Amino acid sequence: MTRYSRQMILPEIGADGQARLAQSHVLVVGAGGLGVPVLQYLAGAGVGHITLVDGDHVEIGNLHRQPLYRMDQLGQPKAQAAAAAIGALNPDVAITPHGAWLDPASAPDWVAGADLVLDCADTFAASLTLSDICRDTGTPLITASALAQSGYVAGCCGGAPSLRAIFPDLPERGATCATAGVMGPVVGAVGAIQAQMALSVLLGLTPGPLGQLISLDAARWRMGGFRFDRAPEPDAPLPFIARSQTRAEDVLIDLRAEAPPFSPAARHILPENITTLAPPAGRRVVLACATGLRAHNAGQALQTCWSGQIALLALTDE
């Protein structure tokens, strides 16, 4: 009996499907609450190569929903700690950890080497950046989010509409696990569905999960979902850029009231006042905030006032 015999006995997998998994390369962005079950189940299933990207460290306040980590790993980079744990779980899996934050400058190279991408990040900027790249390259993207007692998983790109097509309008404000809280099993359940979708794509199972969203409402004991195969892509979506991709001639706007400007060349404008900005002739406007949400919404507000070059910057590395 092999370690994979219980899944290989399934007629839709068999020896050929297991070989297909062993030859697959997936990119996992985020080693937190979603990334932990994703990594465990993909490695357990025998996915041959996993590239893991996460610039965070193991913190005690995360352990209730990230049981892959131990108390003696507090302060260690998550990518390296997760890689060590996954290596012990299944030494047949090659896992390449990168202890860095994903940004629009680095993301294309990481996506280029993957058969499939799993978005386990926790910022709008990272999710939309991955969606934009996967949409343009035709790479399947399994994206997910969880908060409090609810969450969703969606199979995007790779021939299906992108994340922007599902959510063309983002909320004005976004809560986080730190501000709104989250239950560990909820994140685990959402991450497990994310892993199941990923395996289905890699194995070519039908019906496939691309173009499908599944939702979980644990507070009311309900699951739901819908198909979004024909969701239209938004016109002229605002691109995210990395800090290294700003230019000397850019007009830099910091939308955060809670922090000093991220650059000596940047100036503060509150999001509600962004439409007072006069159009800078021939120059690109770069809107910056912590997660990308305020920048995205302010950029959309500017688009209603004037046409010009606008780019968004998420200051996740501060």
Side-chain angles (χ1 to χ4, degrees):
M1 181 182 298
T2 71
R3 68 179 300 145
Y4 309 117
S5 60
R6 293 296 188 267
Q7 65 187 31
M8 289 175 63
I9 200 172
L10 295 170
E12 60 268 38
I13 299 181
D16 289 343
Q18 194 60 50
R20 189 169 179 173
L21 291 179
Q23 295 164 5
S24 297
H25 179 193
V26 302
L27 169 65
V28 177
V29 180
L34 294 170
V36 163
V38 160
L39 290 167
Q40 290 175 307
Y41 281 114
L42 294 187
V47 171
H49 186 189
I50 299 173
T51 296
L52 173 62
V53 178
D54 193 306
D56 206 355
H57 294 74
V58 179
E59 298 179 9
I60 193 168
N62 295 331
L63 295 184
H64 80 286
R65 68 187 186 280
Q66 299 173 14
L68 185 68
Y69 307 113
R70 306 183 309 271
M71 288 292 292
D72 61 357
Q73 293 176 311
L74 294 179
Q76 294 184 18
K78 276 185 183 177
Q80 280 71 26
I86 296 305
L89 171 66
N90 188 351
D92 294 336
V93 175
I95 181 163
T96 305
H98 294 276
W101 297 108
L102 177 132
D103 66 27
S106 60
D109 288 339
W110 282 327
V111 172
D115 301 308
L116 178 144
V117 177
L118 289 110
D119 168 27
C120 304
D122 57 359
T123 70
F124 293 98
S127 296
L128 292 177
T129 294
L130 287 172
S131 179
D132 290 346
I133 296 169
C134 289
R135 177 199 61 214
D136 293 343
T137 59
T139 306
L141 169 69
I142 310 299
T143 183
S145 179
L147 190 69
Q149 295 190 65
S150 64
Y152 71 85
V153 187
C156 302
C157 307
S162 72
L163 182 62
R164 290 186 188 269
I166 310 174
F167 303 114
D169 298 311
L170 299 182
E172 290 187 8
R173 291 178 174 82
T176 66
C177 294
T179 61
V182 66
M183 292 192 72
V186 170
V187 186
V190 173
I193 297 171
Q194 196 175 11
Q196 179 65 24
M197 278 194 176
L199 292 173
S200 295
V201 171
L202 294 174
L203 290 165
L205 303 184
T206 55
L210 299 182
Q212 175 72 49
L213 183 144
I214 295 176
S215 61
L216 170 66
D217 181 350
R220 296 172 179 81
W221 304 113
R222 296 188 305 195
M223 293 190 71
F226 55 84
R227 299 289 309 183
F228 56 91
D229 304 86
R230 297 185 179 181
E233 297 289 344
D235 296 330
L238 296 172
F240 280 93
I241 63 171
R243 194 184 298 226
S244 61
Q245 294 172 318
T246 59
R247 303 189 290 248
E249 65 271 19
D250 285 338
V251 177
L252 305 180
I253 305 297
D254 195 323
L255 300 168
R256 304 171 301 163
E258 70 277 8
F262 70 94
S263 165
R267 59 183 170 123
H268 268 141
I269 297 181
L270 295 179
E272 57 266 29
N273 298 328
I274 194 62
T275 54
T276 64
L277 179 68
R283 301 171 67 192
R284 183 176 64 174
V285 173
V286 177
L287 304 173
C289 71
T291 68
L293 178 59
R294 284 175 287 184
H296 177 275
N297 290 337
Q300 286 192 321
L302 271 185
Q303 282 184 316
T304 66
C305 301
W306 46 270
S307 59
Q309 293 186 60
I310 303 172
L312 313 178
L313 175 60
L315 305 169
T316 53
D317 55 348
E318 288 198 348

